[in-house]
Amino acid sequence: CEIAYTDDQVARVLKVLEKQGVLDDAIIIISADHGDNFGEHGIYSDHVCADEAIHHVPLIVRWPGVTTPGSVCDSMLYNVDLLPTLCEMVGLDAPAHCDGRSFAGHLHGSPAFDRDHLVWGHGLYTLQRAVRTRQHLMIRTYDNYGYTQFDPVALYDMDADPYQTHNLADAQPQQLAAMDHLLCQWEHDQRTKLWSGDDPLMSVLHHRQRTEARFAR
């Protein structure tokens, strides 16, 4: 019902733009800040962790004269890629200290880059970081926030187990080590940027630890 309702509202906007005669001059982008679990890890209709369901967000782009209707791009992108992409679309330079990369070339049908992995994080309920490659997903849990179904570290084969039901961390230690290295490298890269600050995930973790320590006395 929610999807159908949203569909109707998008159609209303498109009809207004068409009536005003500017639809073919407008770039339409539909995305989201997160997805929701619908059974993964026993969680329904919520976004409490750093798994596939939460971070596989929609991205629909209609760019008249550029995008091909019905075409699909399977590149691994971040939401922070939207800013430099929008800048390039309208002929502006992206800010100097921008973490994202423009995927305008992908929309033209000639991708300028393709990532082999992404790093995800969640710091609202559970405190987790995850690494997603084409085949695997690794999740490290720093605080489970009462969601005891999360192991401290988990590894999933997303081709064979898309709903993340079998933790392969013990069975595939080499794959786990390779994924963990990607996470460590990402964290190093973030810390060494000239404009970097404190790690917000660790700040939340330390605050929770201090609070729990006070109650434990």
Side-chain angles (χ1 to χ4, degrees), residues 10 28 32 71 109 151 155 186:
V10 171
I28 308 295
S71 60
D151 295 318
L155 176 69
W186 179 88

Side-chain angles (χ1 to χ4, degrees), residues 148-162:
T148 55
Q149 62 266 52
F150 292 108
D151 295 318
V153 61
L155 176 69
Y156 302 103
D157 184 330
M158 299 303 293
D159 291 339
D161 181 27

Side-chain angles (χ1 to χ4, degrees), residues 138-202:
M138 182 199 78
I139 304 176
R140 278 204 170 277
T141 300
Y142 305 96
D143 178 19
N144 64 27
Y145 201 67
Y147 290 91
T148 55
Q149 62 266 52
F150 292 108
D151 295 318
V153 61
L155 176 69
Y156 302 103
D157 184 330
M158 299 303 293
D159 291 339
D161 181 27
Y163 297 112
Q164 304 140 81
T165 60
H166 302 292
N167 185 356
L168 303 174
D170 292 335
Q172 298 186 13
Q174 290 184 325
Q175 182 63 45
L176 177 63
M179 302 284 282
D180 208 28
H181 174 72
L182 293 175
L183 177 57
C184 290
Q185 185 62 53
W186 179 88
E187 290 178 337
H188 170 78
D189 292 342
Q190 303 311 307
R191 291 193 187 103
T192 54
K193 290 177 179 177
L194 293 176
W195 56 92
S196 67
D198 294 336
D199 184 339
L201 190 74
M202 292 299 105

Side-chain angles (χ1 to χ4, degrees), residues 17-18 21-27 62-65:
L17 294 176
E18 185 176 27
V22 297
L23 181 59
D24 289 337
D25 298 318
I27 299 172
R62 180 188 186 272
W63 189 358

Side-chain angles (χ1 to χ4, degrees), residues 14-179:
L14 296 181
K15 287 177 181 177
V16 170
L17 294 176
E18 185 176 27
K19 185 177 180 180
Q20 294 177 343
V22 297
L23 181 59
D24 289 337
D25 298 318
I27 299 172
I28 308 295
I29 301 176
I30 300 172
S31 189
D33 56 340
H34 62 79
D36 270 343
N37 289 93
F38 283 92
E40 297 86 355
H41 295 110
I43 300 166
Y44 290 85
S45 194
D46 210 344
H47 55 286
V48 305
C49 53
D51 69 7
E52 179 82 4
I54 307 307
H55 289 82
H56 194 163
V57 300
L59 178 62
I60 303 172
V61 181
R62 180 188 186 272
W63 189 358
V66 176
T67 53
T68 301
S71 60
V72 176
C73 174
D74 66 351
S75 293
M76 304 182 83
L77 304 175
Y78 285 118
N79 269 8
V80 292
D81 294 330
L82 274 171
L83 172 60
T85 302
L86 292 170
C87 289
E88 184 172 346
M89 282 175 157
V90 298
L92 298 176
D93 293 328
H97 301 317
C98 182
D99 288 323
R101 300 179 65 180
S102 172
F103 57 82
H106 294 65
L107 302 175
H108 282 279
S110 54
F113 69 92
D114 196 12
R115 298 184 177 94
D116 58 10
H117 71 280
L118 299 171
V119 176
W120 300 334
H122 190 279
L124 179 60
Y125 300 108
T126 63
L127 301 182
Q128 296 180 331
R129 282 217 166 104
V131 178
R132 177 67 155 99
T133 64
R134 291 287 181 180
Q135 183 177 352
H136 292 93
L137 172 65
M138 182 199 78
I139 304 176
R140 278 204 170 277
T141 300
Y142 305 96
D143 178 19
N144 64 27
Y145 201 67
Y147 290 91
T148 55
Q149 62 266 52
F150 292 108
D151 295 318
V153 61
L155 176 69
Y156 302 103
D157 184 330
M158 299 303 293
D159 291 339
D161 181 27
Y163 297 112
Q164 304 140 81
T165 60
H166 302 292
N167 185 356
L168 303 174
D170 292 335
Q172 298 186 13
Q174 290 184 325
Q175 182 63 45
L176 177 63
M179 302 284 282

